[in-house]
Amino acid sequence: MNILINRRRFMQASSAIAVGALAAPAVSASAQARGELRVLTYGGQLGKIVIDAYAKPFEAETGITVIPVTQDFELAQLELMQKTNSISIDVGPMGSGAALQADKKGYLEKIDYSLFRKEDVEGLLPTVKQDFGVGFFFYSLNLVYNTKKYPADKPRPSNWAEFWDVQKFPGVRYMVSGQYGNEGPWEEALLADGVSPDKLYPMDMDRIFASLDKIKPHVRKWWTSGSEIQQVMLSGSGDLMQAYDGRAAHSIAQGAALEMSRSQAKLTCDYWVIPKNAANAQNAQKFVEFVSRAENQANFAKLYPEGPTNKNAFKLLTEEIGLTLPSHPSNVQKAILLNGPWYSEVGSDGLSNMQQLVQRWSEWVLR
């Protein structure tokens, strides 16, 4: 598949987006009667795929006019909408940590699962069927290595302890930045330090940064966007990398000399959420049901190589395609499921674990 994937930031509040929300026109109270629906779709190529795979087919089936809003959906934007009573969208995808925080603040409508077909409700994996939202798709952060640096006749790294082993596996390394809090190399650092996958949470922040101290001198750059790490992979300048599975798959399809390990991949998902007091909430509920159907998720997976949240979608995909997706049962068994609730837990200082990680990272990375 030749797919350009524009990975988005999905949990860190963005002041730029928040300011943009002020300029966004609120949906009028009569919009529901006109049969409209404002769907936030993400930006870039991913936004276009959401429109083609979900928005257009939903409009064709229901007659509801879909107005796509091609940008990301951050907590700061939603918070501003609620405080100004200017709800400019009806439904959109949001990262798990941000969605949990939004739910605690009362910013989200509850999903009406009575609209769902029985087989789709039963097909949704337990972690994605929440009161505040329904899982959009699974994706993961994976270990990726250069096959020219590590050819088949030599040892190849397959887990994070080996990524940290600079004697056995020398080479140029790239890892994701921790500046956004949730996507930092936290779990990877603990796994490299010998923590068992089933003992990761609650995470020991002191141990995380002690482990990162060991690898820091060997990391050429802490990347901050999917496009950045994809450029590295396509250029061949990296030997060992932490990268989004979709970006890596695309780079490999483009001819990059890379292989991706599914072992200890960090698996997470975004959620479709409906802002509280959205003008078209009823239509939004219909849309959430539509995008949760197995056949629609299968169609989406054919266009964008990320994992369905409805396990029945795999029955409609070839095994060849299914095995390339992070939520295929064989890949899930090897993965680490990111614990969204832990990231949103608030401590005695009033900061969430995600916010604490951001603070510690900003100090640590400058040392």
Side-chain angles (χ1 to χ4, degrees):
M1 292 179 288
N2 184 10
I3 302 171
L4 292 175
I5 301 168
N6 190 340
R7 173 68 71 188
R8 65 271 172 266
R9 285 290 146 209
F10 73 98
M11 285 169 65
Q12 179 66 13
S14 166
S15 58
I17 291 177
V19 171
L22 283 172
V27 179
S28 67
S30 62
Q32 186 77 47
R34 295 202 305 270
E36 292 181 355
L37 181 68
R38 283 185 179 268
V39 180
L40 191 142
T41 65
Y42 294 131
Q45 189 69 12
L46 175 54
K48 295 176 183 176
I49 292 172
V50 172
I51 292 170
D52 289 341
Y54 287 141
K56 290 180 179 179
F58 175 77
E59 186 175 73
E61 177 178 299
T62 64
I64 295 169
T65 301
V66 175
I67 303 170
V69 181
T70 54
Q71 65 181 60
D72 292 356
F73 192 25
E74 308 288 349
L75 182 59
Q77 180 188 13
L78 176 61
E79 193 159 32
L80 185 60
M81 287 181 188
Q82 296 296 328
K83 289 182 177 179
T84 61
N85 195 29
S86 179
I87 315 302
S88 58
I89 68 163
D90 301 306
V91 62
M94 178 174 278
S96 59
L100 283 163
Q101 292 182 65
D103 181 50
K104 287 181 179 179
K105 294 183 177 184
Y107 294 159
L108 301 176
E109 299 282 353
K110 290 188 180 297
I111 301 301
D112 184 1
Y113 287 100
S114 69
L115 299 176
F116 286 51
R117 301 181 308 194
K118 181 175 182 291
E119 61 267 29
D120 289 324
V121 172
E122 294 175 349
L124 290 171
L125 296 168
T127 56
V128 306
K129 182 178 175 292
Q130 303 290 341
D131 285 344
F132 63 80
V134 182
F136 179 5
F137 60 72
F138 281 102
Y139 64 95
S140 60
L141 280 158
N142 297 56
L143 189 159
V144 179
Y145 59 85
N146 190 312
T147 56
K148 292 182 179 179
K149 178 72 174 182
Y150 309 108
D153 60 345
K154 293 183 179 180
R156 289 174 160 181
S158 62
N159 57 51
W160 294 108
E162 292 179 336
F163 187 100
W164 255 245
D165 190 341
V166 297
Q167 299 302 319
K168 185 177 181 180
F169 299 102
V172 176
R173 286 160 164 78
Y174 291 82
M175 296 195 76
V176 66
S177 169
Q179 70 184 59
Y180 296 101
N182 62 296
E183 287 196 343
W186 324 125
E187 290 86 354
E188 294 82 357
L190 292 176
L191 290 166
D193 200 42
V195 176
S196 172
D198 61 344
K199 302 293 184 182
L200 284 172
Y201 301 99
M203 289 199 290
D204 183 335
M205 294 190 194
D206 290 336
R207 189 169 179 178
I208 286 172
F209 285 95
S211 179
L212 287 174
D213 283 338
K214 299 174 185 177
I215 199 66
K216 186 178 182 181
H218 307 282
V219 176
R220 175 171 291 181
K221 189 170 185 180
W222 306 93
W223 55 267
T224 59
S225 70
S227 58
E228 184 178 3
I229 188 58
Q230 186 169 7
Q231 183 177 4
V232 169
M233 290 188 288
L234 289 172
S235 71
S237 61
D239 298 321
L240 278 167
M241 293 147 285
Q242 179 188 24
Y244 294 122
D245 63 315
R247 293 281 187 176
H250 173 65
S251 299
I252 293 169
Q254 292 293 100
L258 303 171
E259 283 197 12
M260 174 173 58
S261 173
R262 289 287 181 185
S263 176
Q264 298 185 342
K266 184 159 61 183
L267 186 67
T268 188
C269 77
D270 287 2
Y271 289 83
W272 287 107
V273 298
I274 302 172
K276 183 73 75 173
N277 300 319
N280 298 292
Q282 291 182 11
N283 288 341
Q285 295 282 4
K286 295 176 183 178
F287 181 81
V288 171
E289 181 277 324
F290 181 86
V291 299
S292 301
R293 296 178 194 170
E295 62 270 25
N296 293 333
Q297 290 200 3
N299 290 334
F300 181 86
K302 293 174 184 177
L303 297 174
Y304 188 80
E306 298 294 18
T309 58
N310 186 334
K311 62 185 178 183
N312 293 330
F314 284 100
K315 300 175 184 178
L316 306 173
L317 295 169
T318 65
E319 187 70 2
E320 181 183 6
I321 292 177
L323 287 170
T324 67
L325 305 176
S327 60
H328 187 278
S330 65
N331 292 328
V332 171
Q333 290 177 1
K334 307 171 190 175
I336 305 299
L337 186 62
L338 186 144
N339 188 328
W342 180 85
Y343 279 91
S344 66
E345 286 178 6
V346 177
S348 57
D349 58 359
L351 298 177
S352 67
N353 286 325
M354 184 171 70
Q355 291 171 320
Q356 290 184 51
L357 286 167
V358 169
Q359 285 192 0
R360 293 195 60 166
W361 174 268
S362 63
E363 297 168 1
W364 176 85
V365 78
L366 294 176
R367 291 206 305 263

